[in-house]
Amino acid sequence: MSVKRKAPTLNDVARQAGVSTATVSRCLNFPDQVTAKTRETVMSAVRKLAYSPNFGARVMAVNRTNTIGAIIPTMENAIFARGLQAFQEELRRHGYTLLVASSSYRADIEEEQIRSMVSRGADGLLLIGHERDPAIYRFLETQDVPALVAWSHDCTKSLPSIGFDNRKSMRALAEKVIEMGHRRMAVISAAMKTNDRASLRVHGIRDAMNSAGLDPAELPIIETTYSIDAGAQAFDQLLAAPVPPTAVICGNDVLAVGAIKQARALGLDVPGDVSVTGFDDIELATIVEPALTTVHVPHRDMGTRSASMLIGLVEKKCIGEAIELEADVRLRGSLAPPRA
Amino acid sequence: MSVKRKAPTLNDVARQAGVSTATVSRCLNFPDQVTAKTRETVMSAVRKLAYSPNFGARVMAVNRTNTIGAIIPTMENAIFARGLQAFQEELRRHGYTLLVASSSYRADIEEEQIRSMVSRGADGLLLIGHERDPAIYRFLETQDVPALVAWSHDCTKSLPSIGFDNRKSMRALAEKVIEMGHRRMAVISAAMKTNDRASLRVHGIRDAMNSAGLDPAELPIIETTYSIDAGAQAFDQLLAAPVPPTAVICGNDVLAVGAIKQARALGLDVPGDVSVTGFDDIELATIVEPALTTVHVPHRDMGTRSASMLIGLVEKKCIGEAIELEADVRLRGSLAPPRA
């Protein structure tokens, strides 16, 4: 149903039911406070006119639903949880409700969810990363629904964004690894083709190798899904190589925790036998032992500022821009120089 | 907007724009494939009729939106993440889209979100726990939106539910603690007044004490919020007592991880100096060292079965019932007998 159609009003329902608007309102919102007979009369008028409570009047007035949609790749592992929580808190401060959908990192599901959110009358959308079919952007444009990209900064892309430079910050981390003396590194990453954050992070590692005179072509990379078990399996595979790596750089903290878990299972000491690094700095990063050297993503700041900008776009009070936040390296126990 | 109003059809738009329905459909769904001029003509007809793509036709046919809403207390800490992921996968298998809202454990926000989901045309709702204003249940009834409660089993309540017995399973865990020889226990819980899972778990601990001849009135309880930091603070406070507890039973794994973190900070050995237990068995429980003794909640099974039952209710193919799943104790390193 479009939100722009002329909707029946509370008045229409009251007239139809032969009661006051206050009674209609009470019946809809606090059905316990009216008699069963009144409830029946009012609800039959509501059904006849197909009146939708609360919603119609507001939409008529401002042509908005005060609902923002966010489509994130996963609800598991808390990767997006903290940022989304801050996003929701800021939306709420401005009277907006957040509805979230999770695409399981699948482009086809994400597209369905974008269309569903728009059908459901979302005023604006938060999306993660820039990588998607250009037709979706045209769709959002024709539907006049503003969208904002978070978790990825790229000022060359058409959608406004609030994020950090995945490539630059992973490069900074890889430089620390190389500075410590590591030469045999390996990478556990999410699928790079459909995930721009993942591919940018791997590019960052290659940048660091290039500038240190190492050959990025020799870097072993395993692509897998973001889960602790997948990280553990990939680590196992990397360490089985004839000349195993002395440092395993992981695309995120969840994979790194899996790597550390598997190191423990193999009887290897982290960082004595092998160093492991993550990306995100979610709570898991400081719970695991040793604590993870990782890239700290400004989750809450990103969430809050994304909400402000998206509201500005919805209310046509600002023009979207590409804002870059800092994501800095946090050195913790999981990284140390390799054994001599 | 109600989903039950007569909606303009694709045909109406095509007639208004003077094009074929295929062109309207292409324009809405793949705007890149039509000329700018056609797009303009079609979109102006869409706006004039306030047609909403994809949605109207389906709603007309089956009077449903194929959207299910879930309102969970928090997206942080992954407490509900795994169950919700399974819930979504099962919904998707049946052609339903999931929209999620998070209430931050606040009854007023939850109520707003329930009303918003219903306004947005949700076919059914998944709610967590039974504790809420009865007026909300009347509201859902008058709106004819079926709801299902998960994470809590209670066959005396009016809403159908799929969950586990919070009281019984926490009692089983507390019995293990007592069997190991602990007499001085203490509890870190979420606020019991507004969270039925939290209060039932504390009741379970008292049940175990009663049956072991211990006085539940002497059980120190700190109520706090579900976060690692809150767990750490509460632990600190409990251990500062003149006669500190030998076992700290936590209302969930997140609080327990906070307790273990704080024990480490205080230089205390877990379980040598003090035992700590959790509830939920989320991934964190086996990442922390020592691994948590906890109650294993059947997250995925609960999510999948909740989806099946809710779809059955929406499609009027089943009657809601109260289904109890098993939640069993997992003994791990964080629990041991107290020092002699």
PDB file of all heavy atoms in Angstrom, chain A residues 312-327:
ATOM      1  N   GLY A 312      18.321  13.870   7.998  1.00  0.00           N
ATOM      2  CA  GLY A 312      18.488  15.093   7.205  1.00  0.00           C
ATOM      3  C   GLY A 312      18.072  14.886   5.752  1.00  0.00           C
ATOM      4  O   GLY A 312      17.418  15.739   5.152  1.00  0.00           O
ATOM      5  N   LEU A 313      18.431  13.720   5.214  1.00  0.00           N
ATOM      6  CA  LEU A 313      18.075  13.419   3.817  1.00  0.00           C
ATOM      7  C   LEU A 313      16.573  13.220   3.670  1.00  0.00           C
ATOM      8  O   LEU A 313      15.952  13.711   2.731  1.00  0.00           O
ATOM      9  CB  LEU A 313      18.814  12.159   3.346  1.00  0.00           C
ATOM     10  CG  LEU A 313      20.339  12.278   3.210  1.00  0.00           C
ATOM     11  CD1 LEU A 313      20.970  10.896   2.983  1.00  0.00           C
ATOM     12  CD2 LEU A 313      20.708  13.215   2.067  1.00  0.00           C
ATOM     13  N   VAL A 314      15.976  12.499   4.614  1.00  0.00           N
ATOM     14  CA  VAL A 314      14.535  12.231   4.567  1.00  0.00           C
ATOM     15  C   VAL A 314      13.753  13.534   4.677  1.00  0.00           C
ATOM     16  O   VAL A 314      12.783  13.769   3.948  1.00  0.00           O
ATOM     17  CB  VAL A 314      14.136  11.265   5.706  1.00  0.00           C
ATOM     18  CG1 VAL A 314      12.628  11.253   5.910  1.00  0.00           C
ATOM     19  CG2 VAL A 314      14.651   9.860   5.413  1.00  0.00           C
ATOM     20  N   GLU A 315      14.220  14.397   5.582  1.00  0.00           N
ATOM     21  CA  GLU A 315      13.496  15.654   5.812  1.00  0.00           C
ATOM     22  C   GLU A 315      13.969  16.739   4.850  1.00  0.00           C
ATOM     23  O   GLU A 315      13.606  17.900   4.994  1.00  0.00           O
ATOM     24  CB  GLU A 315      13.661  16.056   7.278  1.00  0.00           C
ATOM     25  CG  GLU A 315      13.070  14.992   8.217  1.00  0.00           C
ATOM     26  CD  GLU A 315      13.176  15.344   9.699  1.00  0.00           C
ATOM     27  OE1 GLU A 315      13.823  16.368  10.029  1.00  0.00           O
ATOM     28  OE2 GLU A 315      12.609  14.586  10.523  1.00  0.00           O
ATOM     29  N   LYS A 316      14.797  16.343   3.918  1.00  0.00           N
ATOM     30  CA  LYS A 316      15.343  17.243   2.897  1.00  0.00           C
ATOM     31  C   LYS A 316      15.982  18.497   3.509  1.00  0.00           C
ATOM     32  O   LYS A 316      15.824  19.611   3.011  1.00  0.00           O
ATOM     33  CB  LYS A 316      14.255  17.616   1.880  1.00  0.00           C
ATOM     34  CG  LYS A 316      13.645  16.381   1.191  1.00  0.00           C
ATOM     35  CD  LYS A 316      12.876  16.732  -0.065  1.00  0.00           C
ATOM     36  CE  LYS A 316      12.047  15.546  -0.590  1.00  0.00           C
ATOM     37  NZ  LYS A 316      12.832  14.356  -0.931  1.00  0.00           N
ATOM     38  N   LYS A 317      16.682  18.274   4.599  1.00  0.00           N
ATOM     39  CA  LYS A 317      17.368  19.382   5.271  1.00  0.00           C
ATOM     40  C   LYS A 317      18.854  19.345   5.009  1.00  0.00           C
ATOM     41  O   LYS A 317      19.597  20.190   5.480  1.00  0.00           O
ATOM     42  CB  LYS A 317      17.118  19.307   6.782  1.00  0.00           C
ATOM     43  CG  LYS A 317      15.711  19.690   7.162  1.00  0.00           C
ATOM     44  CD  LYS A 317      15.486  19.569   8.662  1.00  0.00           C
ATOM     45  CE  LYS A 317      14.034  19.875   8.993  1.00  0.00           C
ATOM     46  NZ  LYS A 317      13.640  19.265  10.278  1.00  0.00           N
ATOM     47  N   CYS A 318      19.344  18.316   4.364  1.00  0.00           N
ATOM     48  CA  CYS A 318      20.767  18.291   4.033  1.00  0.00           C
ATOM     49  C   CYS A 318      20.996  17.531   2.740  1.00  0.00           C
ATOM     50  O   CYS A 318      20.124  16.805   2.270  1.00  0.00           O
ATOM     51  CB  CYS A 318      21.603  17.704   5.183  1.00  0.00           C
ATOM     52  SG  CYS A 318      21.625  15.906   5.213  1.00  0.00           S
ATOM     53  N   ILE A 319      22.160  17.716   2.171  1.00  0.00           N
ATOM     54  CA  ILE A 319      22.554  16.980   0.975  1.00  0.00           C
ATOM     55  C   ILE A 319      23.518  15.899   1.439  1.00  0.00           C
ATOM     56  O   ILE A 319      24.356  16.138   2.307  1.00  0.00           O
ATOM     57  CB  ILE A 319      23.245  17.928  -0.029  1.00  0.00           C
ATOM     58  CG1 ILE A 319      22.245  18.996  -0.482  1.00  0.00           C
ATOM     59  CG2 ILE A 319      23.778  17.154  -1.227  1.00  0.00           C
ATOM     60  CD1 ILE A 319      22.868  20.084  -1.308  1.00  0.00           C
ATOM     61  N   GLY A 320      23.378  14.703   0.899  1.00  0.00           N
ATOM     62  CA  GLY A 320      24.245  13.619   1.336  1.00  0.00           C
ATOM     63  C   GLY A 320      25.689  13.877   0.969  1.00  0.00           C
ATOM     64  O   GLY A 320      25.989  14.453  -0.067  1.00  0.00           O
ATOM     65  N   GLU A 321      26.591  13.469   1.819  1.00  0.00           N
ATOM     66  CA  GLU A 321      28.004  13.557   1.502  1.00  0.00           C
ATOM     67  C   GLU A 321      28.704  12.279   1.949  1.00  0.00           C
ATOM     68  O   GLU A 321      28.079  11.398   2.521  1.00  0.00           O
ATOM     69  CB  GLU A 321      28.626  14.792   2.165  1.00  0.00           C
ATOM     70  CG  GLU A 321      28.162  14.990   3.583  1.00  0.00           C
ATOM     71  CD  GLU A 321      28.693  16.282   4.212  1.00  0.00           C
ATOM     72  OE1 GLU A 321      29.755  16.779   3.778  1.00  0.00           O
ATOM     73  OE2 GLU A 321      28.064  16.766   5.158  1.00  0.00           O
ATOM     74  N   ALA A 322      29.987  12.188   1.659  1.00  0.00           N
ATOM     75  CA  ALA A 322      30.749  11.012   2.075  1.00  0.00           C
ATOM     76  C   ALA A 322      31.651  11.423   3.233  1.00  0.00           C
ATOM     77  O   ALA A 322      32.563  12.223   3.060  1.00  0.00           O
ATOM     78  CB  ALA A 322      31.576  10.483   0.910  1.00  0.00           C
ATOM     79  N   ILE A 323      31.345  10.910   4.397  1.00  0.00           N
ATOM     80  CA  ILE A 323      32.098  11.288   5.595  1.00  0.00           C
ATOM     81  C   ILE A 323      32.985  10.136   6.030  1.00  0.00           C
ATOM     82  O   ILE A 323      32.537   8.991   6.148  1.00  0.00           O
ATOM     83  CB  ILE A 323      31.138  11.676   6.745  1.00  0.00           C
ATOM     84  CG1 ILE A 323      30.408  12.973   6.372  1.00  0.00           C
ATOM     85  CG2 ILE A 323      31.885  11.822   8.059  1.00  0.00           C
ATOM     86  CD1 ILE A 323      29.458  13.464   7.433  1.00  0.00           C
ATOM     87  N   GLU A 324      34.251  10.455   6.250  1.00  0.00           N
ATOM     88  CA  GLU A 324      35.189   9.417   6.690  1.00  0.00           C
ATOM     89  C   GLU A 324      35.479   9.545   8.177  1.00  0.00           C
ATOM     90  O   GLU A 324      35.855  10.607   8.660  1.00  0.00           O
ATOM     91  CB  GLU A 324      36.510   9.522   5.912  1.00  0.00           C
ATOM     92  CG  GLU A 324      37.456   8.395   6.290  1.00  0.00           C
ATOM     93  CD  GLU A 324      38.821   8.498   5.613  1.00  0.00           C
ATOM     94  OE1 GLU A 324      38.968   9.294   4.667  1.00  0.00           O
ATOM     95  OE2 GLU A 324      39.732   7.784   6.067  1.00  0.00           O
ATOM     96  N   LEU A 325      35.300   8.446   8.893  1.00  0.00           N
ATOM     97  CA  LEU A 325      35.656   8.412  10.314  1.00  0.00           C
ATOM     98  C   LEU A 325      36.985   7.670  10.455  1.00  0.00           C
ATOM     99  O   LEU A 325      37.361   6.887   9.592  1.00  0.00           O
ATOM    100  CB  LEU A 325      34.570   7.686  11.113  1.00  0.00           C
ATOM    101  CG  LEU A 325      33.145   8.243  10.970  1.00  0.00           C
ATOM    102  CD1 LEU A 325      32.167   7.389  11.763  1.00  0.00           C
ATOM    103  CD2 LEU A 325      33.091   9.693  11.438  1.00  0.00           C
ATOM    104  N   GLU A 326      37.659   7.905  11.557  1.00  0.00           N
ATOM    105  CA  GLU A 326      38.929   7.219  11.803  1.00  0.00           C
ATOM    106  C   GLU A 326      38.691   5.801  12.318  1.00  0.00           C
ATOM    107  O   GLU A 326      37.790   5.571  13.115  1.00  0.00           O
ATOM    108  CB  GLU A 326      39.754   7.985  12.839  1.00  0.00           C
ATOM    109  CG  GLU A 326      40.491   9.187  12.268  1.00  0.00           C
ATOM    110  CD  GLU A 326      41.335   8.833  11.044  1.00  0.00           C
ATOM    111  OE1 GLU A 326      42.158   7.894  11.142  1.00  0.00           O
ATOM    112  OE2 GLU A 326      41.143   9.465   9.980  1.00  0.00           O
ATOM    113  N   ALA A 327      39.488   4.862  11.854  1.00  0.00           N
ATOM    114  CA  ALA A 327      39.476   3.503  12.396  1.00  0.00           C
ATOM    115  C   ALA A 327      40.940   3.159  12.675  1.00  0.00           C
ATOM    116  O   ALA A 327      41.716   2.984  11.743  1.00  0.00           O
ATOM    117  CB  ALA A 327      38.861   2.527  11.409  1.00  0.00           C
TER     118      ALA A 327
END
